[in-house]
Amino acid sequence: MTQDEMKQKVAEAALEYVRAGTIVGVGTGSTANMFIDALAGMKGEILGAVASSEATAIRLAGHGIPVLDLNEALKQVDSLSVYVDGADEFDAERNLTKGGGGALTREKIVAAAAVQFVCIVDQSKQVEYLG
């Protein structure tokens, strides 16, 4: 199985955590993009999504998924039901590392507003030692 096929499988599996009538937080990166593509099939069931980056917002909107500002979303619901994002690496104990910079800051803010954080990674991201 190719890395893209593995990413697609984990992205589709993350849909199990998305509930109808909720607002979903969505991360940034290639695996998150595959999650967005899969989420498009549920766009009529969710109220919308909060994007952790401009690139994520553009991809969500391109699929017709309503993109909400975090403050706007929290006026509609008490919290985001789930935040879904990928990671750069993970080890056997399920510790993980995320990227850096401005996207990481926004990702942490959106993740903090969610009841549940679902990190989607494929086998290619597993390392013996982080870093």
Side-chain angles (χ1 to χ4, degrees):
M1 185 178 302
T2 68
Q3 185 175 9
D4 281 346
E5 290 169 335
M6 288 187 289
K7 284 182 183 184
Q8 185 173 358
K9 285 210 174 280
V10 296
E12 291 169 357
L15 292 176
E16 294 179 29
Y17 296 92
V18 177
R19 301 288 174 247
T22 64
I23 298 174
V24 178
V26 183
T28 303
S30 60
T31 308
N33 284 342
M34 291 199 174
F35 172 72
I36 294 167
D37 296 345
L39 185 63
M42 295 182 69
K43 68 182 173 190
E45 299 174 43
I46 60 172
L47 299 175
V50 174
S52 65
S53 71
E54 290 302 315
T56 297
I58 290 167
R59 193 173 193 104
L60 287 162
H63 282 296
I65 299 169
V67 179
L68 306 168
D69 171 87
L70 181 59
N71 291 327
E72 178 185 2
L74 294 177
K75 288 178 184 174
Q76 294 183 44
V77 294
D78 291 334
S79 59
L80 306 180
S81 61
V82 64
Y83 175 73
V84 179
D85 199 359
D88 294 336
E89 300 177 328
F90 74 97
D91 65 16
E93 286 78 40
R94 296 186 179 176
N95 298 304
L96 58 91
T97 60
K98 299 275 303 144
L104 180 60
T105 301
R106 286 182 66 174
E107 288 170 354
K108 284 184 170 236
I109 292 168
V110 178
V115 173
Q116 185 174 33
F117 171 49
V118 174
C119 185
I120 51 177
V121 293
D122 63 77
Q123 201 170 7
S124 71
K125 303 287 184 164
Q126 187 168 12
V127 297
E128 190 172 344
Y129 301 102
L130 295 178

